Amino acid sequence: TLTTFLSAVLAIICTFHTVQAQTNAQNAYVSAIDQDLAVKKIVLVPTTDNVGGIYARPVDEELQNALNDDKQWSLSVYPKDLNLKPEFLDERPQDVKAILQNSQSEAALSTRIIRGPKGISVTMTLFVGREGLPLLQEAASDLKSFETAQIRAEARRLFENIKSRMPFRGVIMSRR
């Protein structure tokens, strides 16, 4: 009798907790902003420069290494069949959306290098979300060194700065 009563109460409690957990999982609300900022996969847009790729190729290698070493983001392959000009992504959100959709990524990282009379300028932009708009941008201008090792190091620094400026760096599993 007492054992039967305790068994029945235990069964009711277990059933209640199972139903409550299923209901919470089904009713989980994730805002559009949280979805845009929850970056798991990132695509590296080919770097552009105005000197025939002298700086672009080493910077791409450096950024690929940085993303491969990264424990939070995984690197997606850039879709080769897209015929887009990476230097105009700031002005063409529809191109960013096409890149994100075709690579099945939540973010795209674009880098532009310009060698001018005063030195080298490097601009790195992180695009996220369904709108295809830039979220973060880092830049270094008038770099006096023209050596590729120095430009690679600067690209790594800009990447780390962008990564550290992300609004949050983890995935919230529960709000309890």
Side-chain angles (χ1 to χ4, degrees), residues 52-65:
I54 292 172
Y55 298 116
R57 284 185 288 279
V59 165
D60 273 344
E61 286 176 15
E62 186 67 30
L63 293 174
Q64 283 177 353
N65 291 339

Side-chain angles (χ1 to χ4, degrees), residues 59-122:
V59 165
D60 273 344
E61 286 176 15
E62 186 67 30
L63 293 174
Q64 283 177 353
N65 291 339
L67 286 164
N68 285 332
D69 294 342
D70 193 86
K71 303 215 182 325
Q72 182 182 358
W73 294 344
S74 63
L75 180 61
S76 295
V77 177
Y78 182 80
K80 297 294 181 192
D81 56 338
L82 289 178
N83 226 359
L84 305 173
K85 296 196 177 268
E87 55 268 15
F88 299 118
L89 291 180
D90 290 348
E91 303 159 9
R92 299 182 51 87
Q94 65 271 24
D95 289 352
V96 175
K97 289 194 271 189
I99 291 169
L100 294 176
Q101 185 175 25
N102 287 319
S103 66
Q104 297 178 342
S105 300
E106 293 89 20
L109 186 67
S110 171
T111 307
R112 187 172 26 188
I113 303 169
I114 298 173
R115 182 175 175 173
K118 293 184 178 181
I120 294 180
S121 297
V122 182

